[in-house]
Amino acid sequence: MAKILLLEDDEILSETLIELFESENFEIVHVKDGEEALDATFVQSFDLFLLDVNVPFLNGFDFLKSLRDSGNMTPSIFITALSDVRSLSKGFDVGADDYIKKPFDFDELLIHIKALLKKQYHTYANEIRVNNFRFVIEKNELYIGADFIPLPPYELHIVRLLFQNLNKTLLKDILLNSLNEGKETSEGALRVHIARLRKVGLPITTIKRVGYRLTSE
């Protein structure tokens, strides 16, 4: 399932969104202030940021600017009551991918979220195919034909990155940094994960001293 970081200090709205997202099989990490949000990004990887602006300690604009300055390009949507053109402009200037004004309809928000998740994979389709494999974007799941392939978290994360960079070389350093999440991940451990994915049948090519590539025929 896709993992969303929700930065929102309104308890009632947060509880409602968490319940609705979980019913759509999203994993939600909820934080109430910008500093807590920043801490969460140091130890976890997310598929999308859903951000209020007026939150304690570090506002949503400054939080996202800090991440963009550090090279974090995770898709981000501002959900805010700020509706003036200046705020809208600032939201996009600091690196937002989308901006939705409160109050909003949940189904509309869901449409925006799913569109952004697909954008990471450079497609408008719901799934990506490589040989007999299917990666279903909204479910964050890998199949061979109709059969679901269960994967541990690290290997699922590698699969997601490979499909997001289909037919491109995924740099080894990017993989290692993405997998760390506050822990040390060695090149040896990475090679073990890649070997397990090859046993599943994924056509992963090693680009010597550079990284790995998943290629579609």
Side-chain angles (χ1 to χ4, degrees):
M1 62 182 72
K3 184 190 291 187
I4 296 175
L5 176 66
L6 172 63
L7 171 58
E8 175 60 68
D9 63 345
D10 184 317
E11 287 288 350
I12 295 176
L13 176 58
S14 297
E15 289 174 4
T16 301
L17 287 175
I18 291 169
E19 182 178 349
L20 289 168
F21 282 130
E22 288 180 346
S23 71
E24 294 287 335
N25 295 319
F26 289 107
E27 181 181 352
I28 304 297
V29 174
H30 173 225
V31 292
K32 299 176 183 178
D33 65 70
E35 290 185 358
E36 190 181 359
L38 207 55
D39 289 343
T41 65
F42 291 148
V43 296
Q44 299 181 68
S45 295
F46 294 93
D47 299 296
L48 185 134
F49 298 138
L50 196 58
L51 311 171
D52 191 8
V53 175
N54 290 325
V55 293
F57 304 127
L58 184 70
N59 69 47
F61 288 150
D62 291 341
F63 163 75
L64 185 59
K65 185 177 187 303
S66 174
L67 289 185
R68 295 301 191 239
D69 288 347
S70 70
N72 188 319
M73 294 294 116
T74 301
S76 304
I77 301 176
F78 280 117
I79 50 170
T80 175
L82 298 176
S83 58
D84 59 286
V85 174
R86 184 177 179 181
S87 296
L88 180 67
S89 176
K90 185 171 183 179
F92 284 108
D93 284 346
V94 298
D97 297 279
D98 209 343
Y99 192 106
I100 297 178
K101 300 171 186 176
K102 297 178 180 177
F104 52 82
D105 180 82
F106 178 73
D107 288 336
E108 178 186 353
L109 175 61
L110 194 60
I111 290 169
H112 285 253
I113 287 172
K114 289 182 177 179
L116 269 185
L117 291 175
K118 292 176 186 176
K119 188 176 180 181
Q120 293 183 79
Y121 295 85
H122 313 288
T123 182
Y124 295 104
N126 292 321
E127 62 181 45
I128 303 175
R129 293 176 179 264
V130 172
N131 301 340
N132 293 326
F133 289 93
R134 298 185 299 119
F135 186 81
V136 181
I137 294 170
E138 291 177 11
K139 292 183 178 181
N140 203 27
E141 293 177 346
L142 182 67
Y143 293 80
I144 184 164
D147 297 327
F148 170 67
I149 302 175
L151 294 171
Y154 269 8
E155 282 153 36
L156 179 59
H157 192 67
I158 293 171
V159 166
R160 288 176 47 243
L161 290 172
L162 288 168
F163 274 89
Q164 286 174 8
N165 295 274
L166 186 62
N167 298 318
K168 298 178 182 178
T169 299
L170 183 57
L171 298 181
K172 180 172 53 181
D173 288 346
I174 291 177
L175 266 171
L176 288 169
N177 289 336
S178 181
L179 290 171
N180 272 340
E181 294 194 352
K183 302 175 183 177
E184 289 298 324
T185 302
S186 67
E187 290 188 28
L190 176 59
R191 286 194 293 270
V192 169
H193 292 308
I194 294 292
R196 288 174 180 166
L197 292 173
R198 285 175 172 150
K199 285 183 179 179
V200 171
L202 281 171
I204 302 170
T205 302
T206 299
I207 309 302
K208 193 173 182 180
R209 292 191 292 272
V210 177
Y212 299 93
R213 181 182 296 165
L214 179 66
T215 306
S216 62
E217 292 182 350

